[in-house]
Amino acid sequence: MNLNNRVEVKFFEGCPPFTLAGEKGSKVVFLKEKGLHVISASSGKFLHQFSGIFPVGGAGQNSLLTSWNDTVICNSKEDENSLKVIDTSDYKILHAIKVFSEKDEEEFLHLTQVAMKSDNEVLVAKKMKIDLYSVDSGEHLRTYKCKIDDWIRNLSLDPAQNMLVFPKENKVALLDLESGERKDVLPHPNFVSRVFAVGYDVILTSGGDNVVRVWDLTREDVHQQVEKPETVLNIYSIPGDSRHLVTLGRLGIDNFCVTIWDLATMLPLRKVTGITTSYLQIINDRRAAIRVKENVAIVDLHKIGRASC
């Protein structure tokens, strides 16, 4: 056996956990098998390695990172009950925040995500509850109770840091961080895997049907079940109308729909379903011809979807 030959095992199958730190995200901080690394975001130049911080889990899958300017917070294999607070300007480990109590252990809670709420506050998700801690003192500030079947991952904070959102099966959980009020809204036709709070009233989601959706929380239909997305077959312009488009989509076998879109908001204005063929002809800015069973129906584009054809 040749001892000079060695087998190297790839530690992370995908992208290792990372976060951006420093002024305007000038540093990339990420975990590797032998420590926490800091590199320059612009040049890729190696800046520092924290050799005493190790990934959590057999392949680093339970490692968590978050940051605010030069402050980075992460967990580490040697003490999974605490979070390390790191200053990436001086490359120092400042202290650790103990985030688990005996009660947490009795309830079989464990870390699922961490997120900075401000320069001195960090949100710590523990499967079915979220605790707020002071970064400087490590003091526990507040608890947000969640549901027993929650699994809080892939959470997002709105830019004002007032609302937290996370996937909840086929919906999105909205948590007001001031009042503590919780709502499960935006029903999807499949499970939700990712959410992103663009603003307090605008949410992006993606899920099991591989569709990215933009949601306006001010609309009255945020509790309405979203239909299975159609496969778009054709796109039609409307003569004399530069503000709208018409699409013809397939929902299934002999099942089609016509949708009118507002180009200013990229949201659907009206939709008609139950169409069994893909024939559609735009006549003018108000009229379109749709084949319905053995007949051709002339419909008003301004009223389509409001009445059955």
Side-chain angles (χ1 to χ4, degrees), residues 91-102:
Y91 302 114
K92 293 181 180 179
I93 300 176
L94 302 179
H95 58 272
I97 302 173
K98 185 176 180 181
V99 295
F100 274 96
S101 64
E102 293 181 1

Side-chain angles (χ1 to χ4, degrees), residues 7 30 57 78 113 176 178 197 238 247 259 267 269 274 307 309:
V7 177
F30 60 96
E78 76 277 7
Q113 193 166 356
D176 188 311
E178 296 298 322
I238 302 175
T247 60
T259 308
L267 294 172
L269 289 178
C309 294

Side-chain angles (χ1 to χ4, degrees), residues 66-228:
T66 187
S67 60
W68 188 287
N69 294 331
D70 286 310
T71 301
V72 171
I73 294 179
C74 69
N75 59 346
S76 183
K77 183 178 180 180
E78 76 277 7
D79 185 5
E80 298 182 25
N81 291 331
S82 299
L83 294 174
K84 294 187 181 299
V85 180
I86 300 166
D87 183 353
T88 59
S89 60
D90 295 329
Y91 302 114
K92 293 181 180 179
I93 300 176
L94 302 179
H95 58 272
I97 302 173
K98 185 176 180 181
V99 295
F100 274 96
S101 64
E102 293 181 1
K103 184 177 180 181
D104 290 330
E105 295 173 358
E106 290 171 359
E107 295 176 351
F108 299 102
L109 299 182
H110 60 273
L111 293 181
T112 55
Q113 193 166 356
V114 293
M116 295 286 287
K117 183 178 183 294
S118 67
D119 60 347
N120 191 37
E121 294 176 310
V122 60
L123 291 159
V124 180
K126 303 176 181 178
K127 185 180 176 183
M128 56 187 183
K129 77 172 183 176
I130 301 172
D131 287 331
L132 181 67
Y133 293 88
S134 165
V135 173
D136 289 342
S137 68
E139 178 187 1
H140 176 258
L141 303 176
R142 182 172 180 176
T143 292
Y144 299 94
K145 286 291 186 181
C146 298
K147 298 181 179 180
I148 194 169
D149 60 343
D150 280 341
W151 188 274
I152 304 168
R153 296 294 298 268
N154 302 316
L155 62 81
S156 174
L157 288 162
D158 78 300
Q161 313 293 310
N162 293 323
M163 181 178 67
L164 182 148
V165 300
F166 60 89
K168 172 64 178 178
E169 297 176 349
N170 70 325
K171 295 182 180 181
V172 174
L174 308 180
L175 179 61
D176 188 311
L177 295 177
E178 296 298 322
S179 66
E181 181 183 4
R182 155 80 175 269
K183 296 179 181 178
D184 291 349
V185 297
L186 313 181
H188 287 59
N190 209 315
F191 67 88
V192 180
S193 57
R194 294 289 189 276
V195 296
F196 182 74
V198 180
Y200 194 81
D201 293 324
V202 181
I203 303 291
L204 293 180
T205 65
S206 65
D209 53 12
N210 299 318
V211 175
V212 176
R213 294 179 172 88
V214 183
W215 301 84
D216 180 356
L217 298 182
T218 63
R219 290 167 61 102
E220 296 179 356
D221 58 356
V222 294
H223 296 281
Q224 182 177 339
Q225 175 70 42
V226 176
E227 298 175 359
K228 182 179 179 181

Side-chain angles (χ1 to χ4, degrees), residues 5 26 31 36 59 61 78 90 107 126 136 146-147 190 212 226 240 245 254 266 279 286-287 296 305:
N5 294 330
S26 60
L31 280 159
L36 186 72
Q61 72 273 13
E78 76 277 7
D90 295 329
E107 295 176 351
K126 303 176 181 178
D136 289 342
C146 298
K147 298 181 179 180
N190 209 315
V212 176
V226 176
L245 280 178
D254 296 330
M266 293 308 297
Y279 178 84
R286 288 195 65 98
R287 299 287 185 264
V296 174

